[in-house]
Amino acid sequence: MIVNIIYNKDAADNAVTVEDYPWGYKLRTKRKYWIETTKRGDRLCYQTLNPKTDKWCAVKKSTYSGIEVLYENEDGHIKTIGLDPQWATKESLAHFQKNVDVTKLTDGQRAKICETKTILHCQKFVNVEIVNTTMMDQEEKAKKDAEQEEIKNKLNDYANHIYGKCLVKNGIA
């Protein structure tokens, strides 16, 4: 259960710090959490203070996702809620938008929401059909390939149009 969404923690300098983090069985220490954003997307980063040496350990980084946002759950633990445009469903998009204040996200993160909406919208027009081309001659195969290329280009143009409209509507472009 999400208790508190945490925005704009994007570096170790302004990270969320948990003061009473367990180290082994008996010791307690600090741990910092933040979201790193690159052109690949967002990923969770964290760093723990070694209580024996008082030095920060190496930064640990998760795998990239489209959008990641920190939150605190009912137990006081820091977690992430995310959205990955390539794998999102209508339900996951609705869940993300219900829990996160989109106006507090960066332009890059809001652009990822537009990307997600575009993909979900365009998927309605995609029909997958498996065709055995081994029995086709070269002319038939070339005709089929040209037809598929034309369909791909039309879908690409339409997706770019929808994506551009979403960016303009949200004041990103």
Side-chain angles (χ1 to χ4, degrees), residues 64-141:
Y64 283 103
S65 182
I67 307 169
E68 291 285 331
V69 179
L70 295 172
Y71 73 89
E72 183 180 354
N73 69 8
E74 68 273 1
D75 297 329
H77 299 145
I78 303 298
K79 304 280 185 183
T80 61
I81 181 172
L83 183 68
D84 205 345
Q86 291 80 13
W87 302 106
T89 61
K90 288 181 201 173
E91 294 78 18
S92 63
L93 176 61
H95 174 73
F96 184 82
Q97 288 181 308
K98 182 183 111 196
N99 288 294
V100 175
D101 183 359
V102 177
T103 62
K104 293 183 179 179
L105 298 178
T106 65
D107 285 351
Q109 289 173 322
R110 292 187 329 190
K112 287 287 184 185
I113 291 175
C114 283
E115 183 181 333
T116 303
K117 288 178 178 179
T118 301
I119 290 169
L120 290 172
H121 178 76
C122 290
Q123 282 177 345
K124 293 187 275 186
F125 304 108
V126 174
N127 182 22
V128 177
E129 182 182 334
I130 299 172
V131 177
N132 184 355
T133 59
T134 56
M135 302 301 277
M136 289 183 181
D137 61 20
Q138 290 293 79
E139 189 178 308
E140 286 177 308
K141 206 173 198 178

Side-chain angles (χ1 to χ4, degrees), residues 5-23:
I5 299 285
I6 305 164
Y7 301 96
N8 302 322
K9 301 298 181 183
D10 57 1
D13 301 350
N14 71 344
V16 175
T17 303
V18 175
E19 296 293 332
D20 193 27
Y21 193 82
W23 180 280

Side-chain angles (χ1 to χ4, degrees), residues 4 12 19 34 42 44-45 48 50 52 84 116 148 151-153 158 169:
N4 179 31
E19 296 293 332
W34 68 94
D42 295 346
L44 173 68
C45 299
T48 310
N50 185 332
K52 297 173 185 173
D84 205 345
T116 303
Q148 289 301 305
I151 291 169
K152 184 179 83 173
N153 288 338
Y158 182 66
K169 178 182 173 186

Side-chain angles (χ1 to χ4, degrees), residues 122 126 144-162:
C122 290
V126 174
K144 190 73 168 166
D145 288 346
E147 186 180 290
Q148 289 301 305
E149 191 65 29
E150 182 182 345
I151 291 169
K152 184 179 83 173
N153 288 338
K154 283 181 180 179
L155 191 58
N156 240 351
D157 290 346
Y158 182 66
N160 286 335
H161 172 71
I162 297 297

